[in-house]
PDB file of all heavy atoms in Angstrom:
ATOM      1  N   MET A   1       0.844  -1.211  -0.026  1.00  0.00           N
ATOM      2  CA  MET A   1      -0.027  -0.025  -0.015  1.00  0.00           C
ATOM      3  C   MET A   1       0.897   1.243  -0.021  1.00  0.00           C
ATOM      4  O   MET A   1       1.995   1.205   0.621  1.00  0.00           O
ATOM      5  CB  MET A   1      -0.869   0.012   1.253  1.00  0.00           C
ATOM      6  CG  MET A   1      -1.932  -1.011   1.326  1.00  0.00           C
ATOM      7  SD  MET A   1      -3.259  -0.749   0.173  1.00  0.00           S
ATOM      8  CE  MET A   1      -4.115   0.672   0.908  1.00  0.00           C
ATOM      9  N   ASP A   2       0.435   2.278  -0.629  1.00  0.00           N
ATOM     10  CA  ASP A   2       1.150   3.562  -0.612  1.00  0.00           C
ATOM     11  C   ASP A   2       0.154   4.729  -0.689  1.00  0.00           C
ATOM     12  O   ASP A   2      -0.601   4.761  -1.663  1.00  0.00           O
ATOM     13  CB  ASP A   2       2.233   3.638  -1.705  1.00  0.00           C
ATOM     14  CG  ASP A   2       3.078   4.899  -1.587  1.00  0.00           C
ATOM     15  OD1 ASP A   2       3.366   5.282  -0.459  1.00  0.00           O
ATOM     16  OD2 ASP A   2       3.326   5.516  -2.654  1.00  0.00           O
ATOM     17  N   LYS A   3       0.162   5.648   0.258  1.00  0.00           N
ATOM     18  CA  LYS A   3      -0.669   6.795   0.293  1.00  0.00           C
ATOM     19  C   LYS A   3      -2.108   6.469   0.000  1.00  0.00           C
ATOM     20  O   LYS A   3      -2.818   7.146  -0.726  1.00  0.00           O
ATOM     21  CB  LYS A   3      -0.168   7.826  -0.706  1.00  0.00           C
ATOM     22  CG  LYS A   3       1.218   8.274  -0.310  1.00  0.00           C
ATOM     23  CD  LYS A   3       1.720   9.440  -1.213  1.00  0.00           C
ATOM     24  CE  LYS A   3       3.088   9.850  -0.705  1.00  0.00           C
ATOM     25  NZ  LYS A   3       3.773  10.724  -1.531  1.00  0.00           N
ATOM     26  N   GLY A   4      -2.645   5.374   0.671  1.00  0.00           N
ATOM     27  CA  GLY A   4      -4.014   5.015   0.567  1.00  0.00           C
ATOM     28  C   GLY A   4      -4.393   4.221  -0.686  1.00  0.00           C
ATOM     29  O   GLY A   4      -5.530   3.746  -0.813  1.00  0.00           O
ATOM     30  N   GLY A   5      -3.428   3.989  -1.635  1.00  0.00           N
ATOM     31  CA  GLY A   5      -3.794   3.271  -2.829  1.00  0.00           C
ATOM     32  C   GLY A   5      -2.979   1.905  -2.830  1.00  0.00           C
ATOM     33  O   GLY A   5      -1.996   1.726  -2.150  1.00  0.00           O
ATOM     34  N   VAL A   6      -3.571   1.015  -3.669  1.00  0.00           N
ATOM     35  CA  VAL A   6      -2.934  -0.320  -3.714  1.00  0.00           C
ATOM     36  C   VAL A   6      -1.802  -0.297  -4.754  1.00  0.00           C
ATOM     37  O   VAL A   6      -1.957   0.104  -5.896  1.00  0.00           O
ATOM     38  CB  VAL A   6      -3.972  -1.392  -4.198  1.00  0.00           C
ATOM     39  CG1 VAL A   6      -3.328  -2.744  -4.310  1.00  0.00           C
ATOM     40  CG2 VAL A   6      -5.104  -1.422  -3.153  1.00  0.00           C
ATOM     41  N   ASN A   7      -0.604  -0.725  -4.343  1.00  0.00           N
ATOM     42  CA  ASN A   7       0.607  -0.811  -5.185  1.00  0.00           C
ATOM     43  C   ASN A   7       0.803  -2.234  -5.667  1.00  0.00           C
ATOM     44  O   ASN A   7       1.221  -2.436  -6.871  1.00  0.00           O
ATOM     45  CB  ASN A   7       1.893  -0.367  -4.421  1.00  0.00           C
ATOM     46  CG  ASN A   7       2.146   1.094  -4.628  1.00  0.00           C
ATOM     47  OD1 ASN A   7       1.394   1.803  -5.247  1.00  0.00           O
ATOM     48  ND2 ASN A   7       3.180   1.564  -4.006  1.00  0.00           N
ATOM     49  N   ASP A   8       0.661  -3.195  -4.774  1.00  0.00           N
ATOM     50  CA  ASP A   8       0.845  -4.587  -5.144  1.00  0.00           C
ATOM     51  C   ASP A   8      -0.277  -5.429  -4.563  1.00  0.00           C
ATOM     52  O   ASP A   8      -0.382  -5.586  -3.305  1.00  0.00           O
ATOM     53  CB  ASP A   8       2.175  -5.019  -4.570  1.00  0.00           C
ATOM     54  CG  ASP A   8       2.561  -6.448  -4.998  1.00  0.00           C
ATOM     55  OD1 ASP A   8       1.661  -7.319  -5.108  1.00  0.00           O
ATOM     56  OD2 ASP A   8       3.769  -6.734  -5.312  1.00  0.00           O
ATOM     57  N   LEU A   9      -1.151  -5.865  -5.426  1.00  0.00           N
ATOM     58  CA  LEU A   9      -2.384  -6.560  -4.977  1.00  0.00           C
ATOM     59  C   LEU A   9      -2.109  -7.778  -4.127  1.00  0.00           C
ATOM     60  O   LEU A   9      -2.692  -8.002  -3.085  1.00  0.00           O
ATOM     61  CB  LEU A   9      -3.211  -6.930  -6.236  1.00  0.00           C
ATOM     62  CG  LEU A   9      -4.771  -7.017  -6.027  1.00  0.00           C
ATOM     63  CD1 LEU A   9      -5.294  -5.657  -5.674  1.00  0.00           C
ATOM     64  CD2 LEU A   9      -5.380  -7.559  -7.196  1.00  0.00           C
ATOM     65  N   ASN A  10      -1.164  -8.600  -4.573  1.00  0.00           N
ATOM     66  CA  ASN A  10      -0.872  -9.845  -3.856  1.00  0.00           C
ATOM     67  C   ASN A  10      -0.322  -9.653  -2.459  1.00  0.00           C
ATOM     68  O   ASN A  10      -0.724 -10.383  -1.579  1.00  0.00           O
ATOM     69  CB  ASN A  10       0.160 -10.711  -4.698  1.00  0.00           C
ATOM     70  CG  ASN A  10      -0.462 -11.236  -5.998  1.00  0.00           C
ATOM     71  OD1 ASN A  10      -1.712 -11.341  -6.080  1.00  0.00           O
ATOM     72  ND2 ASN A  10       0.298 -11.431  -7.017  1.00  0.00           N
ATOM     73  N   LEU A  11       0.513  -8.668  -2.337  1.00  0.00           N
ATOM     74  CA  LEU A  11       1.121  -8.371  -1.002  1.00  0.00           C
ATOM     75  C   LEU A  11       0.007  -7.884  -0.029  1.00  0.00           C
ATOM     76  O   LEU A  11      -0.051  -8.235   1.118  1.00  0.00           O
ATOM     77  CB  LEU A  11       2.215  -7.322  -1.111  1.00  0.00           C
ATOM     78  CG  LEU A  11       3.533  -7.740  -1.673  1.00  0.00           C
ATOM     79  CD1 LEU A  11       4.505  -6.640  -1.835  1.00  0.00           C
ATOM     80  CD2 LEU A  11       4.180  -8.934  -0.809  1.00  0.00           C
ATOM     81  N   VAL A  12      -0.901  -7.037  -0.535  1.00  0.00           N
ATOM     82  CA  VAL A  12      -1.955  -6.527   0.297  1.00  0.00           C
ATOM     83  C   VAL A  12      -2.904  -7.690   0.700  1.00  0.00           C
ATOM     84  O   VAL A  12      -3.322  -7.807   1.889  1.00  0.00           O
ATOM     85  CB  VAL A  12      -2.830  -5.446  -0.502  1.00  0.00           C
ATOM     86  CG1 VAL A  12      -4.022  -5.039   0.401  1.00  0.00           C
ATOM     87  CG2 VAL A  12      -1.934  -4.219  -0.781  1.00  0.00           C
ATOM     88  N   VAL A  13      -3.173  -8.630  -0.244  1.00  0.00           N
ATOM     89  CA  VAL A  13      -4.039  -9.739   0.084  1.00  0.00           C
ATOM     90  C   VAL A  13      -3.422 -10.590   1.204  1.00  0.00           C
ATOM     91  O   VAL A  13      -4.128 -10.946   2.108  1.00  0.00           O
ATOM     92  CB  VAL A  13      -4.304 -10.627  -1.228  1.00  0.00           C
ATOM     93  CG1 VAL A  13      -4.917 -11.927  -0.833  1.00  0.00           C
ATOM     94  CG2 VAL A  13      -5.139  -9.857  -2.194  1.00  0.00           C
ATOM     95  N   GLN A  14      -2.095 -10.814   1.108  1.00  0.00           N
ATOM     96  CA  GLN A  14      -1.434 -11.587   2.225  1.00  0.00           C
ATOM     97  C   GLN A  14      -1.536 -10.907   3.574  1.00  0.00           C
ATOM     98  O   GLN A  14      -1.836 -11.519   4.578  1.00  0.00           O
ATOM     99  CB  GLN A  14       0.087 -11.765   1.819  1.00  0.00           C
ATOM    100  CG  GLN A  14       0.271 -12.791   0.745  1.00  0.00           C
ATOM    101  CD  GLN A  14       1.715 -12.759   0.269  1.00  0.00           C
ATOM    102  OE1 GLN A  14       2.644 -12.211   0.893  1.00  0.00           O
ATOM    103  NE2 GLN A  14       2.011 -13.340  -0.937  1.00  0.00           N
ATOM    104  N   SER A  15      -1.324  -9.610   3.567  1.00  0.00           N
ATOM    105  CA  SER A  15      -1.428  -8.820   4.784  1.00  0.00           C
ATOM    106  C   SER A  15      -2.843  -8.902   5.408  1.00  0.00           C
ATOM    107  O   SER A  15      -2.981  -9.089   6.592  1.00  0.00           O
ATOM    108  CB  SER A  15      -1.048  -7.357   4.598  1.00  0.00           C
ATOM    109  OG  SER A  15       0.254  -7.207   4.046  1.00  0.00           O
ATOM    110  N   VAL A  16      -3.824  -8.688   4.576  1.00  0.00           N
ATOM    111  CA  VAL A  16      -5.250  -8.776   4.968  1.00  0.00           C
ATOM    112  C   VAL A  16      -5.602 -10.152   5.499  1.00  0.00           C
ATOM    113  O   VAL A  16      -6.174 -10.294   6.587  1.00  0.00           O
ATOM    114  CB  VAL A  16      -6.207  -8.385   3.795  1.00  0.00           C
ATOM    115  CG1 VAL A  16      -7.690  -8.615   4.226  1.00  0.00           C
ATOM    116  CG2 VAL A  16      -6.024  -6.926   3.433  1.00  0.00           C
ATOM    117  N   LYS A  17      -5.142 -11.170   4.791  1.00  0.00           N
ATOM    118  CA  LYS A  17      -5.408 -12.574   5.258  1.00  0.00           C
ATOM    119  C   LYS A  17      -4.867 -12.819   6.648  1.00  0.00           C
ATOM    120  O   LYS A  17      -5.538 -13.396   7.507  1.00  0.00           O
ATOM    121  CB  LYS A  17      -4.829 -13.573   4.267  1.00  0.00           C
ATOM    122  CG  LYS A  17      -5.717 -13.930   3.101  1.00  0.00           C
ATOM    123  CD  LYS A  17      -5.039 -15.006   2.186  1.00  0.00           C
ATOM    124  CE  LYS A  17      -6.043 -15.343   1.025  1.00  0.00           C
ATOM    125  NZ  LYS A  17      -5.384 -16.094  -0.007  1.00  0.00           N
ATOM    126  N   ARG A  18      -3.626 -12.374   6.907  1.00  0.00           N
ATOM    127  CA  ARG A  18      -3.032 -12.546   8.207  1.00  0.00           C
ATOM    128  C   ARG A  18      -3.785 -11.833   9.325  1.00  0.00           C
ATOM    129  O   ARG A  18      -4.002 -12.450  10.394  1.00  0.00           O
ATOM    130  CB  ARG A  18      -1.568 -12.138   8.132  1.00  0.00           C
ATOM    131  CG  ARG A  18      -0.702 -13.138   7.386  1.00  0.00           C
ATOM    132  CD  ARG A  18       0.747 -12.813   7.326  1.00  0.00           C
ATOM    133  NE  ARG A  18       1.454 -13.730   6.548  1.00  0.00           N
ATOM    134  CZ  ARG A  18       2.564 -13.499   5.864  1.00  0.00           C
ATOM    135  NH1 ARG A  18       3.118 -12.270   5.955  1.00  0.00           N
ATOM    136  NH2 ARG A  18       3.230 -14.438   5.185  1.00  0.00           N
ATOM    137  N   ALA A  19      -4.156 -10.563   9.033  1.00  0.00           N
ATOM    138  CA  ALA A  19      -4.849  -9.818  10.082  1.00  0.00           C
ATOM    139  C   ALA A  19      -6.230 -10.411  10.342  1.00  0.00           C
ATOM    140  O   ALA A  19      -6.654 -10.512  11.557  1.00  0.00           O
ATOM    141  CB  ALA A  19      -4.984  -8.345   9.559  1.00  0.00           C
ATOM    142  N   ILE A  20      -6.959 -10.855   9.307  1.00  0.00           N
ATOM    143  CA  ILE A  20      -8.253 -11.441   9.499  1.00  0.00           C
ATOM    144  C   ILE A  20      -8.159 -12.792  10.234  1.00  0.00           C
ATOM    145  O   ILE A  20      -8.973 -13.081  11.121  1.00  0.00           O
ATOM    146  CB  ILE A  20      -8.923 -11.647   8.077  1.00  0.00           C
ATOM    147  CG1 ILE A  20      -9.285 -10.288   7.435  1.00  0.00           C
ATOM    148  CG2 ILE A  20     -10.195 -12.497   8.249  1.00  0.00           C
ATOM    149  CD1 ILE A  20     -10.509  -9.543   7.922  1.00  0.00           C
ATOM    150  N   HIS A  21      -7.170 -13.546   9.847  1.00  0.00           N
ATOM    151  CA  HIS A  21      -6.931 -14.865  10.535  1.00  0.00           C
ATOM    152  C   HIS A  21      -6.690 -14.661  11.967  1.00  0.00           C
ATOM    153  O   HIS A  21      -7.210 -15.447  12.836  1.00  0.00           O
ATOM    154  CB  HIS A  21      -5.717 -15.613   9.815  1.00  0.00           C
ATOM    155  CG  HIS A  21      -5.440 -16.930  10.420  1.00  0.00           C
ATOM    156  ND1 HIS A  21      -6.343 -17.961  10.371  1.00  0.00           N
ATOM    157  CD2 HIS A  21      -4.378 -17.392  11.081  1.00  0.00           C
ATOM    158  CE1 HIS A  21      -5.857 -19.047  10.983  1.00  0.00           C
ATOM    159  NE2 HIS A  21      -4.649 -18.702  11.396  1.00  0.00           N
ATOM    160  N   GLU A  22      -5.784 -13.753  12.367  1.00  0.00           N
ATOM    161  CA  GLU A  22      -5.476 -13.448  13.751  1.00  0.00           C
ATOM    162  C   GLU A  22      -6.777 -13.032  14.528  1.00  0.00           C
ATOM    163  O   GLU A  22      -7.031 -13.520  15.619  1.00  0.00           O
ATOM    164  CB  GLU A  22      -4.460 -12.318  13.773  1.00  0.00           C
ATOM    165  CG  GLU A  22      -3.853 -12.097  15.186  1.00  0.00           C
ATOM    166  CD  GLU A  22      -2.862 -10.884  15.104  1.00  0.00           C
ATOM    167  OE1 GLU A  22      -2.028 -10.752  14.135  1.00  0.00           O
ATOM    168  OE2 GLU A  22      -2.883 -10.094  16.042  1.00  0.00           O
ATOM    169  N   MET A  23      -7.544 -12.203  13.845  1.00  0.00           N
ATOM    170  CA  MET A  23      -8.792 -11.722  14.487  1.00  0.00           C
ATOM    171  C   MET A  23      -9.810 -12.853  14.707  1.00  0.00           C
ATOM    172  O   MET A  23     -10.395 -13.013  15.784  1.00  0.00           O
ATOM    173  CB  MET A  23      -9.400 -10.660  13.547  1.00  0.00           C
ATOM    174  CG  MET A  23     -10.770 -10.122  14.012  1.00  0.00           C
ATOM    175  SD  MET A  23     -11.570  -9.278  12.619  1.00  0.00           S
ATOM    176  CE  MET A  23     -12.209 -10.718  11.723  1.00  0.00           C
ATOM    177  N   GLU A  24      -9.934 -13.732  13.662  1.00  0.00           N
ATOM    178  CA  GLU A  24     -10.904 -14.856  13.719  1.00  0.00           C
ATOM    179  C   GLU A  24     -10.438 -15.864  14.822  1.00  0.00           C
ATOM    180  O   GLU A  24     -11.268 -16.430  15.513  1.00  0.00           O
ATOM    181  CB  GLU A  24     -10.949 -15.564  12.424  1.00  0.00           C
ATOM    182  CG  GLU A  24     -11.756 -14.791  11.345  1.00  0.00           C
ATOM    183  CD  GLU A  24     -11.871 -15.539  10.025  1.00  0.00           C
ATOM    184  OE1 GLU A  24     -11.068 -16.447   9.699  1.00  0.00           O
ATOM    185  OE2 GLU A  24     -12.804 -15.180   9.229  1.00  0.00           O
ATOM    186  N   LEU A  25      -9.159 -16.084  14.949  1.00  0.00           N
ATOM    187  CA  LEU A  25      -8.617 -16.988  16.015  1.00  0.00           C
ATOM    188  C   LEU A  25      -8.958 -16.429  17.389  1.00  0.00           C
ATOM    189  O   LEU A  25      -9.437 -17.173  18.243  1.00  0.00           O
ATOM    190  CB  LEU A  25      -7.101 -17.109  15.945  1.00  0.00           C
ATOM    191  CG  LEU A  25      -6.512 -18.129  14.892  1.00  0.00           C
ATOM    192  CD1 LEU A  25      -5.030 -18.118  14.943  1.00  0.00           C
ATOM    193  CD2 LEU A  25      -7.001 -19.556  15.294  1.00  0.00           C
ATOM    194  N   MET A  26      -8.786 -15.152  17.566  1.00  0.00           N
ATOM    195  CA  MET A  26      -9.095 -14.530  18.897  1.00  0.00           C
ATOM    196  C   MET A  26     -10.618 -14.590  19.180  1.00  0.00           C
ATOM    197  O   MET A  26     -10.992 -14.864  20.358  1.00  0.00           O
ATOM    198  CB  MET A  26      -8.577 -13.078  18.887  1.00  0.00           C
ATOM    199  CG  MET A  26      -8.660 -12.455  20.271  1.00  0.00           C
ATOM    200  SD  MET A  26      -8.311 -10.692  20.276  1.00  0.00           S
ATOM    201  CE  MET A  26      -6.563 -10.709  20.241  1.00  0.00           C
ATOM    202  N   ALA A  27     -11.428 -14.336  18.171  1.00  0.00           N
ATOM    203  CA  ALA A  27     -12.889 -14.273  18.394  1.00  0.00           C
ATOM    204  C   ALA A  27     -13.553 -15.615  18.300  1.00  0.00           C
ATOM    205  O   ALA A  27     -14.738 -15.734  18.592  1.00  0.00           O
ATOM    206  CB  ALA A  27     -13.488 -13.315  17.398  1.00  0.00           C
ATOM    207  N   ASP A  28     -12.832 -16.620  17.810  1.00  0.00           N
ATOM    208  CA  ASP A  28     -13.372 -17.951  17.616  1.00  0.00           C
ATOM    209  C   ASP A  28     -14.597 -17.913  16.698  1.00  0.00           C
ATOM    210  O   ASP A  28     -15.704 -18.272  17.123  1.00  0.00           O
ATOM    211  CB  ASP A  28     -13.645 -18.656  18.930  1.00  0.00           C
ATOM    212  CG  ASP A  28     -14.088 -20.115  18.749  1.00  0.00           C
ATOM    213  OD1 ASP A  28     -13.666 -20.670  17.684  1.00  0.00           O
ATOM    214  OD2 ASP A  28     -14.781 -20.675  19.590  1.00  0.00           O
ATOM    215  N   CYS A  29     -14.459 -17.275  15.518  1.00  0.00           N
ATOM    216  CA  CYS A  29     -15.593 -17.065  14.681  1.00  0.00           C
ATOM    217  C   CYS A  29     -15.039 -17.101  13.213  1.00  0.00           C
ATOM    218  O   CYS A  29     -13.809 -17.092  12.987  1.00  0.00           O
ATOM    219  CB  CYS A  29     -16.332 -15.810  14.897  1.00  0.00           C
ATOM    220  SG  CYS A  29     -15.322 -14.385  14.398  1.00  0.00           S
TER     221      CYS A  29
END
């Protein structure tokens, strides 16, 4: 990501997946 825009789609997808996975593990949902 740079200045609010997507620079590299695949890298952003990986970051989002990790954050969502961490959140789902904590919430058990």
Side-chain angles (χ1 to χ4, degrees):
M1 292 288 289
D2 185 40
K3 296 184 177 170
V6 178
N7 266 2
D8 186 322
L9 209 65
N10 293 334
L11 287 176
V12 177
V13 169
Q14 284 171 17
S15 303
V16 172
K17 274 183 177 168
R18 284 178 183 156
I20 293 282
H21 181 63
E22 191 182 317
M23 174 198 80
E24 287 182 337
L25 276 177
M26 189 187 279
D28 189 24
C29 69

